[in-house]
Amino acid sequence: MPRNILSGLRIATMDKGDTAYGLVERGSIGLEDDRIVWVTAGNAVPSDWRGVEIEDFGGRLATPALIDCHTHLVFGGNRAKEFEMRLEGASYEEVARAGGGIVSTVAATRAMGEDALVEDALPRLDALIGEGVATVEIKSGYGLTAEDELKMLRAARRLETMRPVRVKTSYLAAHAVPPEYKGRADAYIDEIVLPGMEAASDLGLVDAVDGFCEGIAFSPEQMNRVFARARALGLPVKLHAEQLSDLGGAKLAASYGALSADHLEYLDEDGVAAMAEAGTVAVLLPGAFYTLRETQLPPVAALRRAGVPIAVATDCNPGSSPLASLLLTLNMACTLFRLTPEEALAGATREAARALGLQDETGTLEPGKRADIAIWDVEHPAELTYRIGFNPLHRRIVGEDA
Ligand code: DI6
Ligand code: FE
């Protein structure tokens, strides 16, 4: 049973203790196998750990390894041409007529095999890993046939075997109505979304069920049908809610005890209260807010007041958030959404773990948790959110049985 000791660290444990960031000024961490066994101030080592190898980090900062709890990392093609067209003055409709928009990503994703999807996703995954990320949530949602959704989920799961990272998959067939079901969203749910969910569940490919509740996607009534089937299969749910308008999606999600409701720019007080009551995490996605040049801010003060846990994620996708940097996302969460640096860092560690149902496993540096640790060349944790386009990662440690 290999043991080792990491010492000479400033440790932002991110547990909810009395100090900001759960900070331990000069301390050590004892690891055994893939677990944290102890965290102490100073150089004191438990007597039965004498003789164990000690690595000194010269005062560097340790935090929990980062967690990106909302991504669409697996997809085909990209939408740079559409970005260019819009900046040259094309309207959304013109873009759509030229084959752009989410439908173009669906076509590109359908056209690719599982191997190619994996190859394309790897550089994005590596960018996240390079910034200290050890856990990534990845959604389907660009296949929109049962087989193409399963292909995306298999690709997501394969990534986990190719890199030292943990992947949690979400089934997002209720992301958009595909062209062949135009105007027949209910039939799409009956014929594709629900059977595909059963297949994904039978194959063990899915950790949670997600949806896009919006005027341009699915109504709360339609999402209710999707969630009812998820519940019958014993799968937790989450929802893209209140991104562009307030349809009461977060409230619906909370009524199913959702892990999270995500985006939330248009969330009202009722929705906040429902989330607080259910313990549903608010996942804020400043990359989409920025890319869409949204002006409606998520109700951060109301979420805080109600004690709703707040997480932050990249939403990495080819349309509304072509963003593969969680550190930049944290900076955006502070600058655009006025999260404090401590809230932002908690949002990509402790609360992101909660948003994935992994709060007993990772997200803080505490005895019993996995040895998912990021060590940074910085003195103070606020430096992680303050710089823009700068990556001070020194070392990432990942507990092995990911
Ligand atoms: N909300 C979004 O912002 C993305 N999906 C979603 O549910 C958009 C995805 C895309 O444009 O490809
Ligand atoms: Fe998303």
Side-chain angles (χ1 to χ4, degrees), residues 72 79 101-102 105 142 172 175 212 240 243 263 288 292 315 317-320:
H72 308 247
R79 310 246 284 275
I102 190 165
T105 300
Y142 289 116
L172 179 61
H175 189 199
F212 187 22
H240 290 67
Q243 180 186 6
H263 285 289
L292 299 177
D315 196 14
N317 77 64
S320 66

Side-chain angles (χ1 to χ4, degrees), residues 94-118:
E94 285 164 333
V95 168
R97 257 185 277 125
I102 190 165
V103 171
S104 70
T105 300
V106 172
T109 304
R110 287 178 176 178
M112 282 167 74
E114 189 185 315
D115 291 354
L117 285 173
V118 168

Side-chain angles (χ1 to χ4, degrees), residues 316-377:
C316 179
N317 77 64
S320 66
S321 191
L323 171 60
S325 168
L326 191 50
L327 288 178
L328 177 55
T329 305
L330 296 186
N331 174 267
M332 287 176 166
C334 295
T335 300
L336 299 175
F337 292 169
R338 313 311 288 168
L339 258 56
T340 65
E342 185 181 359
E343 285 173 328
L345 188 57
T349 54
R350 185 182 69 232
E351 309 305 352
R354 181 172 300 282
L356 297 178
L358 292 175
Q359 62 272 22
D360 295 333
E361 276 293 296
T362 188
T364 63
L365 300 180
E366 291 178 279
K369 294 265 178 108
R370 274 163 44 101
D372 292 351
I373 303 170
I375 297 173
W376 310 89
D377 265 320

